[in-house]
Amino acid sequence: AAKLSPEKLLCQLRDRVNVTMIQGSDDPFDTSEWHQYLPRKNLNETVGHLGHCAVVSSAGSLKSSHLGQEIDSHDAVLRFNRAPIKGFEEDVGEKTTIRLVNSQLVTVREQQFLREALYNTGILIVWDPAPYHAEINEWYRKPDYNFFESYKAYRGIHPEQPFYILNPKMQWQLWDILQENSPEYIQPNPPSSGMLGIILMMTLCNEVHVYEYLPSKRQTDICHYYQKFHDRACTVGAYHPLLFEKNLVKHLNQGTDEDIFTSGKVTLPGFRNVRC
Ligand code: NCC
């Protein structure tokens, strides 16, 4: 596969990855039952036009980074899964505008998900690994984790908090581009929450800064900044095609290598600033 220039790659991502949330008009969500649960406002209306945005990976290398203030200076901050703030403000900041969670977290850890205050801040978005290029209908019958009942339960408890379901089509549209631009065959598993979140923020923001997704000089084999768990696979991937995702993001970086080395920081343009 021939690697595209960063400019061409940005255009491919902009034009081929359709980032949308499940809507009441999407079959099989077009029922009065689902209409009670899905948010009335669409995501764009809820967040408005965002300028500078930060994406905070959950990597262990955020520990002792002192990036908190810099992260909080952004107009919007995206976090993942159970990544906490309390006790880690100095390194990861305290602002959460959007939290992107996987369906496993919502299903397997349902009781914690329904109870923990961590999830009550900002906008929630859940995603689930769908079969390759499946129609929404087919995915709905065969989700990777059947999170739909947990989603409804959460919506019942927190009806005012915006909580969206990511349209699963985008994961494979993105995966196709990853595969086309990689020299090797990639296992057909969807991209990580991190990569999905980066693309999401590129659709919502003028500019995106990603922290410790490409590891800085602080890289270790510690999986998360919030846990004493060692596993190198967290950074390079096992199930998710993390290494390929990270090569792509490195290729698109508009910041300096120095920024990566010292802050694990990557600068990406918002799609609205991409000219094709
Ligand atoms: O670990 P996880 O990811 O929640 O991390 C969020 C995103 O941060 C980036 N990351 C994380 C650690 C690290 N050392 N380097 C990184 O670059 C990745 O981009 C990652 O996506 C997920 O993607 O949803 C994942 O979720 C966990 C787990 O389900 C949740 O944390 C909930 O407990 C998965 N771990 C397991 O299933 C054991 C992980 O594989 C992927």
Side-chain angles (χ1 to χ4, degrees):
K3 231 184 182 187
L4 294 175
S5 67
E7 294 71 26
K8 290 214 168 100
L9 195 49
L10 280 169
C11 292
Q12 293 275 312
L13 290 167
R14 187 193 73 174
D15 297 338
R16 290 171 55 195
V17 185
N18 197 3
V19 183
T20 58
M21 304 296 139
I22 293 290
Q23 295 176 325
S25 53
D26 293 321
D27 174 33
F29 293 88
D30 52 353
T31 62
S32 56
E33 210 235 329
W34 268 108
H35 283 186
Q36 291 175 60
Y37 289 108
L38 294 174
R40 260 167 242 292
K41 271 202 208 167
N42 70 38
L43 178 62
N44 277 317
E45 286 174 289
T46 304
V47 298
H49 197 109
L50 298 173
H52 287 78
C53 298
V55 173
V56 186
S57 93
S58 305
S61 43
L62 274 158
K63 194 109 185 83
S64 309
S65 68
H66 305 282
L67 285 167
Q69 259 196 357
E70 181 176 329
I71 289 170
D72 280 346
S73 73
H74 291 80
D75 301 316
V77 178
L78 174 75
R79 300 180 194 276
F80 300 99
N81 296 322
R82 350 184 251 118
I85 288 162
K86 235 176 140 195
F88 303 96
E89 294 88 348
E90 172 77 23
D91 293 331
V92 304
E94 39 194 306
K95 189 188 275 187
T96 305
T97 314
I98 305 179
R99 184 175 290 272
L100 179 62
V101 297
N102 66 40
S103 55
Q104 182 190 31
L105 174 84
V106 172
T107 311
V108 181
R109 300 169 64 97
E110 176 178 342
Q111 288 313 311
Q112 286 100 312
F113 180 67
L114 296 180
R115 273 194 226 120
E116 279 176 22
L118 173 70
Y119 302 109
N120 306 162
T121 306
I123 299 164
L124 284 173
I125 302 178
V126 60
W127 76 277
D128 176 73
Y132 186 72
H133 286 300
E135 287 306 317
I136 296 175
N137 229 308
E138 185 192 343
W139 163 68
Y140 187 76
R141 280 183 269 112
K142 276 188 284 187
D144 196 32
Y145 285 91
N146 201 328
F147 67 95
F148 298 112
E149 290 309 310
S150 302
Y151 173 85
K152 289 179 188 167
Y154 191 99
R155 292 289 292 156
I157 303 169
H158 303 283
E160 302 304 327
Q161 186 183 7
F163 187 0
Y164 296 92
I165 302 171
L166 187 63
N167 188 320
K169 293 212 155 195
M170 68 108 38
Q171 26 179 288
W172 294 111
Q173 294 165 346
L174 175 57
W175 185 91
D176 284 345
I177 295 175
L178 282 167
Q179 177 62 88
E180 287 166 17
N181 289 279
S182 299
E184 290 165 67
Y185 173 77
I186 308 180
Q187 70 279 16
N189 293 328
S192 71
S193 296
M195 187 71 213
L196 299 176
I198 290 168
I199 299 294
L200 167 72
M201 293 314 258
M202 288 172 80
T203 67
L204 298 174
C205 310
N206 289 339
E207 188 169 76
V208 180
H209 290 142
V210 187
Y211 292 93
E212 291 290 2
Y213 178 69
L214 298 188
S216 69
K217 61 184 177 189
R218 285 178 299 276
Q219 178 179 16
T220 62
D221 61 354
I222 298 173
C223 188
H224 296 126
Y225 68 82
Y226 54 88
Q227 260 184 335
K228 282 213 177 69
F229 172 66
H230 294 249
D231 186 357
R232 218 176 78 89
C234 294
T235 305
V236 296
Y239 169 77
H240 297 294
L242 263 179
L243 209 55
F244 303 101
E245 300 173 6
K246 293 183 181 197
N247 281 337
L248 188 101
V249 168
K250 174 79 177 41
H251 192 54
L252 295 176
N253 182 26
Q254 299 188 334
T256 63
D257 286 350
E258 171 74 18
D259 277 345
I260 298 175
F261 186 68
T262 58
S263 317
K265 176 177 166 183
V266 163
T267 303
L268 301 169
F271 289 128
R272 67 172 77 98
N273 292 325
V274 171
R275 300 281 159 270
C276 298

